[in-house]
Amino acid sequence: MRLNCDLGESFGSWQMGLDEQAMPFIDQANIACGFHAGDANVMQRTLALAKQHKVEIGAHPAYPDLQGFGRRSLQCSAPEIINLIHYQVAALEGMARCQGLSLSYIKPHGALYNDMMSNPAVWQAVLQAVARYHQPLKLMILATADAARYQADAAAVGVSLLFEAFADRRYTDEGKLTPRSQAGAVLHGDAVIQQVQQLLQQGSVTTQSGTILPLQADTLCVHGDNVAAIQQLHHIRACITACQP
């Protein structure tokens, strides 16, 4: 199980996240590309930090929504989604190449990620954006009970998928993330470690109703935006190390 983290989400003089503390403990850095957070200077520093710690780099594109941190759905057409993804990924890729680095995957952010998983039209547009990019990149999506359907769609256009689970989010019986507006949507403390251990040892999560839901994931999303999250990240890394054969 690999660990991925959303990073590079500062903007100008506004600081977001503890990237320097999180980077040594993760395997994959999802770097903001300027539409929901991040700017040229932040992207450069985050890429340099990833290079220092030999962390795999992914682009983290979003709807153009700086004020809402990319968490508001926008009514974009398929061509607009394709273009906004290409624009952001190309910006990060260009800056990465200036440091001798290369991208390996794309993980949509916030509302674009949620819409991709719930709206077939958005899903197809995101797939086309990845498929039409000038170099092969994997697409990171939510690991769900119906992963085979997403796998088939992606294979049809030649896109490889990375399935992602969340360490600190409660799942619905349908295998989606419980909306943050609902009580218990975010896990804390021992509940996070218990969910990580269940994913590692049993390949499942316990949903909000108590149902055991099989869930196969390639990577686990963790956070590094505050001191408590960094401490939790240390525990998760130790848990993964302990569970390795």
Side-chain angles (χ1 to χ4, degrees), residues 1-23:
M1 181 75 73
R2 312 197 80 197
L3 297 183
N4 78 81
C5 188
D6 301 343
L7 299 173
E9 293 185 321
S10 298
F11 183 80
S13 60
W14 181 70
Q15 297 299 305
M16 173 69 176
L18 301 175
D19 292 7
E20 291 187 359
Q21 296 182 44
M23 195 73 81

Side-chain angles (χ1 to χ4, degrees), residues 169-179 182-185 187 195 205-213:
R169 294 294 300 277
R170 180 67 73 197
Y171 283 78
T172 68
D173 289 348
E174 294 73 34
K176 300 297 176 63
L177 300 180
T178 301
Q182 296 183 20
L187 304 178
Q195 179 150 291
V205 294
T206 301
T207 71
Q208 57 188 358
S209 70
T211 300
I212 303 299
L213 181 74

Side-chain angles (χ1 to χ4, degrees), residues 1-2 4 106-108 113-114 116-118 123 139-151 161-167 169-178 195 199-200 203-207 213-221:
M1 181 75 73
R2 312 197 80 197
N4 78 81
I106 297 171
K107 175 189 172 180
Y113 184 97
N114 293 335
M116 171 184 71
M117 298 305 302
S118 62
W123 162 242
L139 174 63
M140 188 178 292
I141 71 169
L142 183 66
T144 65
D146 56 349
R149 176 174 65 85
Y150 291 101
Q151 194 78 266
L161 299 180
L162 292 170
F163 289 100
E164 171 187 44
F166 283 75
R169 294 294 300 277
R170 180 67 73 197
Y171 283 78
T172 68
D173 289 348
E174 294 73 34
K176 300 297 176 63
L177 300 180
T178 301
Q195 179 150 291
L199 277 163
L200 291 171
S204 66
V205 294
T206 301
T207 71
L213 181 74
L215 208 63
Q216 296 300 316
D218 304 302
T219 183
L220 186 66
C221 183

Side-chain angles (χ1 to χ4, degrees), residues 9 17 43 46 80 82 86-87 131 146 157 167 198 208 231 242:
E9 293 185 321
M43 284 192 282
T46 310
E80 288 171 332
I82 292 169
H86 283 177
Y87 184 97
D146 56 349
V157 294
Q198 185 176 346
Q208 57 188 358
Q231 293 173 342

Side-chain angles (χ1 to χ4, degrees), residues 22-97:
M23 195 73 81
F25 295 93
I26 64 172
D27 305 294
Q28 298 166 305
N30 319 315
I31 301 178
C33 306
F35 272 32
H36 77 281
D39 57 33
N41 294 326
V42 172
M43 284 192 282
Q44 189 279 330
R45 290 196 298 268
T46 310
L47 287 164
L49 195 60
K51 183 176 183 178
Q52 176 186 345
H53 293 283
K54 297 180 173 58
V55 172
E56 186 179 5
I57 298 166
H60 200 37
Y63 287 126
D65 178 29
L66 276 174
Q67 288 86 349
F69 198 64
R71 290 178 174 164
R72 300 180 292 191
S73 293
L74 301 182
Q75 299 302 309
C76 296
S77 66
E80 288 171 332
I81 290 173
I82 292 169
N83 292 337
L84 67 85
I85 289 176
H86 283 177
Y87 184 97
Q88 293 174 82
V89 174
L92 185 67
E93 184 206 352
M95 296 197 70
R97 292 182 68 178

